Amino acid sequence: EAVMQIAQTHIAVTGGGSGLGEAVVRALAERGVQVTVIDRNAEAAHRVAASVGGHGLALDVTDEAAGAALDGAIAAKGPLRGLVNCAGIGGASRIVGREGPMPLADFARTIQVNLIGTFNMMRLAAARMQTNAPDADGARGAIVNTASVAAFDGQIGQAAYAASKGGIVSLALPAARELARFGIRVNTVAPGIFLTPLLAELPAEVQAGIAASIPFPNRLGAASEFADVVLLCLTNSYLNAEVIRLDGGVRLPPR
């Protein structure tokens, strides 16, 4: 049996400037990882990176030319052994609303950031990981993508979001199969309803109403719990091509 050793290795986290991504950055840093914090918000990327002695990178995950920035991070922190994709956008819009059909640009933007952004960073990271020296188990790296329970039970108004996350779910197996020859694993976490900065802004009674629908535990997920499962995906060498629902047993109702 083997555990992928992550201490002293270099792992990049997209969306690392806040929310679930920031929790992953902090959990990795606690375990001695050299973290590159990637965020579209430059201030957030550098603030979080500075707080953990990491490398801050202001970057839009949809940027096709992001490879050069990754190379700069590798020059600063060593060979890239892991990528955690947490960058994403939400937003709710009906397919046909009061104003008529959903603007196509709104749907396209959600797919662009969530699905294409995830794929873009995955392809660029994998291209660099394949040149890593293998560890004793033949491993060269690991990739963790973030989907959502909306991929499986998307609600009314979540057509674009659910489709983008469903694409991420479907990406796990073919990517894992293809990257296996390089010793790169690919896993996906599908979180339920987590206490992110976005949800924390909602009134307490609204939060309580959301929590009431979660079987057990009867509360919103903590970002640290998400980070725990990401760590499992990175370190457990036999976990591959898997999609893990992390949701307290919740199944989203239609609305």
Side-chain angles (χ1 to χ4, degrees):
E1 76 192 58
V3 172
M4 189 173 121
Q5 300 298 332
I6 58 172
Q8 269 53 76
T9 68
H10 173 203
I11 296 176
V13 181
T14 75
S18 67
L20 298 180
E22 180 178 358
V24 171
V25 169
R26 299 194 181 284
L28 289 172
E30 274 170 25
R31 284 155 184 83
V33 173
Q34 296 290 321
V35 190
T36 288
V37 182
I38 299 172
D39 206 281
R40 196 178 52 179
N41 178 331
E43 189 276 323
H46 293 301
R47 176 181 50 80
V48 174
S51 73
V52 297
H55 182 77
L57 203 53
L59 187 65
D60 188 320
V61 293
T62 65
D63 181 359
E64 222 177 313
L70 269 188
D71 289 334
I74 289 167
K77 293 292 182 185
L80 190 65
R81 287 276 172 181
L83 169 71
V84 183
N85 274 309
C86 293
I89 56 172
S93 179
R94 287 178 179 252
I95 299 166
V96 183
R98 289 193 189 89
E99 311 291 310
M102 182 198 298
L104 195 56
D106 293 359
F107 185 87
R109 174 164 163 70
T110 304
I111 299 293
Q112 182 73 21
V113 174
N114 293 356
L115 178 56
I116 297 178
T118 292
F119 178 78
N120 184 41
M121 296 311 296
M122 182 167 79
R123 77 185 179 100
L124 294 173
R128 284 149 181 85
M129 287 177 188
Q130 69 172 356
T131 65
N132 289 344
D135 68 11
D137 207 31
R140 289 186 171 86
I143 295 169
V144 185
N145 294 329
T146 303
S148 163
V149 294
F152 312 103
D153 29 76
Q155 298 180 293
I156 289 169
Q158 283 190 328
Y161 184 73
S164 72
K165 295 299 191 175
I168 291 171
V169 166
S170 295
L171 200 51
L173 180 59
R177 285 172 158 171
E178 182 188 333
L179 298 178
R181 57 190 281 252
F182 302 122
I184 299 170
R185 294 178 297 107
V186 182
N187 288 292
T188 306
V189 185
I193 307 160
F194 276 71
L195 191 56
T196 57
L198 216 59
L199 273 179
E201 289 168 18
L202 294 174
E205 63 272 19
V206 175
Q207 287 186 39
I210 294 170
S213 69
I214 301 167
F216 186 81
N218 207 211
R219 58 170 173 79
L220 304 182
S224 61
E225 292 170 318
F226 174 82
D228 280 345
V229 176
V230 170
L231 285 165
L232 174 73
C233 292
L234 289 170
T235 57
N236 188 313
S237 298
Y238 209 64
L239 191 57
N240 197 9
E242 186 53 281
V243 179
I244 301 173
R245 277 185 80 128
L246 183 67
D247 59 17
V250 80
R251 296 296 178 267
L252 303 181
R255 63 181 75 229

